[in-house]
Amino acid sequence: MVKLPFATPAELLQKYGTNISRGGIYLRSRTVKVPGTPVTLDLRLSGGERILHASGHVLFVTGQQGQGVSGMGIRFISVDAASASFLHSEVATLPHGQADTPPVPPGVGPADYGPQASAGAPREPQGATRGPGAPTVEGPRSAAVLVGSAAATPSAPAFDEPTEAPDRTGPVIGIDLGTTNSCAAIVRGGKAQVLFSREGYNTVPSILALNARNRLVVGHPAKSQMLTNPRLTVYGAKRLVGRAYESPIVRQIKDRFPYEIAQGPEGEAAVKLGDRVYSLQQISALVLREVREIAQNQLGQAVSRAVITVPAYYNDNQRQAVREAGRLAGLHVERILNEPTAAALAYGYGRKLHQRILVYDLGGGTFDASVLELADTVYEVVSTSGDTFLGGIDFDNAIVEHLLACFREKTGREFQGDRVALQRITDAAERAKCALSERTEMRVHVPFVTLIDGQPFDLDVTLTRDTLVGLTSGLVDRTLQVCQEVLTARGLTPADIDEVILVGGQSRFPLVHRKIVEHFGKPPSKGVHADEAVALGAALLAHSLGQVDGVVLIDVLPMAIGVALPGGRFKAVLERNTAVPASRSYTIATSRDGQTELEVVLFQGEHARAQENEYLGTLRLKGLPRAPRGQVQVTVSFEVSNESLLKVTAREKVTGREVSSTFSTRDTPEAVKARLGVSDSVPPAPVRTPVSAGPVRTAVVASATKGGLFGWLQRLLGR
Ligand code: AMP
């Protein structure tokens, strides 16, 4: 309800006439709603009499780009009879009064119609026609504004690196750096507790955005611009961390994200916001900085140490990237901790348990299952697996598909709405999904989602929990398949599991509980909080680090680490589920007379073809002594620390010359492929190829064509 400072309709039109047309009204307001937001207007004169009662939606905003007046143009969708009479008899007589959209009054600055403008799409939903008697609006003014705002590339601020190393004294916080949300916790008075966001939530959205004033904002403010400015809003970046731009996963997700994923200087995936490219380490660091600031505000002291959690399946590059992100956020990372282990700590810490548990972690974008054995203070991961493309978002998409099918059924046509409309449907789907965890029926109502024959159309569908179960039970079944794989990998059965611990927001879905009961024959534990467990576990480990009788964590390698073979096959050197810390060495010999260089190309993953796995790097040992082939021997050692960080060393036996982990991430997979002589026509090799593996180099590959390579390779691994 807005009370106008005018006593009569005539006074209103005299002073405010440039702001109103038959089709809409422009209102100045310090706080504006995003274009597309439905609104109901109740305009009163200064004496309290109603002059206009209308429902509509925000068509554009002004003053949000640092210039002009803050306000919004509201387009009427329906008006009551008295208002219609006022609009048709009085407003329509004004010079611009016939327009069917709200005017952009002089002096308020350019109008921003939301993301469809910058995407170059028409402002009206496609297929829109105008009703009879509603003359077409004169477009040139707004169209000019539109082009102007779309052409400008926002300038983004540089990332300012910390100038000093973090202080190693003071409290250590636990941080769950999540795909969707992040959470911080600390142990105080012997109890682990979550640190609340500025807005009072227990988590902070892991979202970063470049706002209209060209400032980087993190968390809730960033989330709130997701709808209006998706190209400048970065979410889900955790999936990109530590990955090469050309890697299979980045290629797969590049088109799904509306923001721009670019190639960093070392060939790694990076994010472009406005005119600047940010590394994933910087993006994560900005989220970590926000979390750190929250902690500092709440604790009233500087915080510069943290235990940060990562998914169990994170490879070596990704773990290194999180360490670096911590450093950039001014944090000394005391430990990188696997998320399932953190959840297990939240469940078992201080309880002296002797149990085998399964941590079922279904978050926004990924699913993980891990089996751990707890023996008092010892937490040992014995098996772990996951699916990086299975999470809450897939449940949302299943609902959106269903809603669009309902739309088709009701209207007999395909949904033609723009990205904002689709995002509004997705938001409504997610809200309904969460509500259906508590109740059995929920109305999904998205007003004015599109125009049908010029008339506004509301999407209005009642969704039942049973329908949701029907739509998503296949997804839940996939999670249980992964659980089964994790058990089978260790020769276990569901009956061998004492407790199932549920983590991740999507695990609240009652169907998950039901299927867990069916599969494991017992209900999941109620002992941990799905959103907080991982951060609390990290805080408990942080607390325990300083103690003599602290906890002992034993992890396993989430994915095999190995080397590329000529022809593009992958040979695992350290198998998946190998307990870490772990090490393995091989002695290899030169294959040519006078060979002075040796190269080891490293990958991590489970695929039989090297290029389908994640490229870790290339280790080059130069300056080998010239000698007849076979006489120069090199020991290659793979060492994986208790944080699953990899160190590879190659050492020549006679001279003692050594290279260590000097991974050349400049090599693109294409360059690596070229060196390995891989062509895409090479058929995939079976996973268990009985051919031994070993380091390769260009010259060696060349000799393969002469037939000597496989013998060389077999010597390489001593087989
Ligand atoms: P996380 O990554 O753990 O923060 O989980 C986020 C995911 O959990 C999102 O897809 C949410 O929609 C989903 N989620 C959060 N609360 C619920 C709930 N009560 N029922 C179902 N899903 C939920």
Side-chain angles (χ1 to χ4, degrees), residues 506-552:
Q506 189 59 52
S507 72
R508 292 210 188 86
F509 185 27
L511 179 65
V512 167
H513 293 235
R514 207 171 82 203
K515 295 237 173 189
I516 294 277
V517 174
E518 282 169 19
H519 195 84
F520 289 90
K522 54 176 88 70
S525 162
K526 293 197 165 34
V528 300
H529 188 294
D531 294 329
E532 298 176 359
V534 171
L536 292 174
L540 287 165
L541 177 67
H543 177 68
S544 129
L545 287 177
Q547 297 179 351
V548 191
D549 55 349
V551 292
V552 178

Side-chain angles (χ1 to χ4, degrees), residues 235 239 257 363-365 390-398 426 433 506:
Y235 63 90
R239 287 174 169 198
F257 287 173
L390 178 55
I393 197 161
D394 300 296
F395 290 69
D396 304 343
N397 289 342
T426 310
K433 174 191 78 175
Q506 189 59 52

